[in-house]
Amino acid sequence: MMTLRRAAQRHHDGSRKLEIWLTFDRQNRTDPLADGFGALEILDEERLSPGAALPPRPHRDAEIVTYVREGALAYDDSSGRSGVIQAGEFQRTTAGRGSHHSETNASRTDWAQVFQICLRPAQAGLEPGLEQKRFSAADRRGALCLVASPDARRGSLRIHQDALLYSAMLGPGKHVVHELREGRSAWLHLVEGEITLGDVVLSSGDGAGLTAERAVSLTAREETEILLLDLGASA
């Protein structure tokens, strides 16, 4: 079964300095996806003008993966950690017993494009933690590159949830199949481009949840970038 979330259905907040698109909007209680999809609670796209800041947000019991697609994002949190996430880098933050995060476009001249994914952790009260890695375009070109996993396999970030996060950059006509074990589901987000998923065409900003399917099978119709989450039955 496929659940679609078209780009135009995302909640959008915008100003001259900051634009945010929410795939899942907790404030819209009429939306069956208000609370996310399984363990996936947040999948936001953010565009920040030079020097612009995201609203400060407290987090508790959350696994947060931040992907900077363009530009650079400076961050600091209540535990004293600070730094910069550059384009092509992914950061995993474990907000166990609670923390506050501050994030700002590190550039005074260029816009930044950022994706933030928030997963409910497998257990509450984890020690806060942070891990950051670069996955180059070459790593992600033409195939699914594992970015995060519960056991940090293949050099991926370690997340405290039965979930696998993949990133891929696909050329026109490239066909990709990701098998799903019994009881698992998947969420696909189209960062940019256009694909065919089954008999459905997805474009930039679209998302799709798959349940009770044997595989995610897609074909790029043009230069395309995707994020794919493989979620466990307990998610």
Side-chain angles (χ1 to χ4, degrees):
M1 182 177 73
M2 185 185 302
T3 301
L4 288 177
R5 170 67 88 219
R6 294 296 186 183
Q9 294 176 297
R10 298 181 297 174
H11 179 78
H12 176 235
D13 285 326
S15 67
R16 289 188 300 109
K17 294 185 176 182
L18 172 66
E19 288 193 280
I20 302 176
W21 291 264
L22 311 179
T23 299
F24 312 113
D25 181 8
R26 292 181 178 177
Q27 303 304 313
N28 183 5
R29 302 317 301 176
T30 64
D31 182 0
L33 291 175
D35 294 320
F37 184 82
L40 175 60
E41 297 182 318
I42 292 172
L43 200 167
D44 296 349
E45 178 183 355
E46 300 149 347
R47 295 177 185 261
L48 296 82
S49 66
L54 289 171
R57 289 174 287 184
H59 291 287
R60 177 179 293 274
D61 290 328
E63 292 289 285
I64 306 157
V65 178
T66 302
Y67 166 43
V68 175
R69 184 169 184 260
E70 295 178 355
L73 187 71
Y75 66 89
D76 59 71
D77 63 28
S78 53
S79 67
R81 290 183 292 256
S82 63
V84 176
I85 312 171
Q86 302 287 348
E89 292 184 328
F90 291 74
Q91 182 192 83
R92 182 270 302 164
T93 303
T94 296
R97 296 190 296 268
S99 63
H100 289 76
H101 295 261
S102 173
E103 296 150 318
T104 306
N105 186 342
S107 174
R108 296 293 174 181
T109 57
D110 300 320
W111 281 71
Q113 183 184 17
V114 179
F115 290 84
Q116 294 203 326
I117 296 166
C118 184
L119 294 160
R120 185 176 60 255
Q123 65 185 85
L126 293 169
E127 287 291 329
L130 183 148
E131 184 183 11
Q132 187 170 318
K133 290 187 177 182
R134 176 175 178 79
F135 296 87
S136 70
D139 293 332
R140 297 180 281 145
R141 172 64 61 184
L144 293 171
C145 173
L146 185 62
V147 169
S149 66
D151 53 6
R153 70 189 73 164
R154 302 206 296 273
S156 61
L157 301 169
R158 185 187 177 203
I159 50 175
H160 300 88
Q161 177 54 266
D162 182 14
L164 305 169
L165 172 62
Y166 296 90
S167 173
M169 304 172 74
L170 308 173
K174 180 64 178 179
H175 181 61
V176 173
V177 177
H178 175 70
E179 302 290 339
L180 292 172
R181 298 202 311 270
E182 185 176 357
R184 298 185 71 85
S185 59
W187 185 272
L188 175 68
H189 181 80
L190 197 58
V191 173
E192 185 175 66
E194 187 172 272
I195 64 168
T196 302
L197 180 66
D199 58 358
V200 175
V201 175
L202 301 180
S203 301
S204 300
D206 288 348
L210 299 174
T211 54
E213 297 286 346
R214 297 172 61 182
V216 181
S217 178
L218 61 92
T219 302
R221 296 162 63 99
E222 59 187 41
E223 287 292 333
T224 294
E225 182 174 351
I226 64 168
L227 295 169
L228 174 66
L229 283 138
D230 179 327
L231 302 165
S234 60

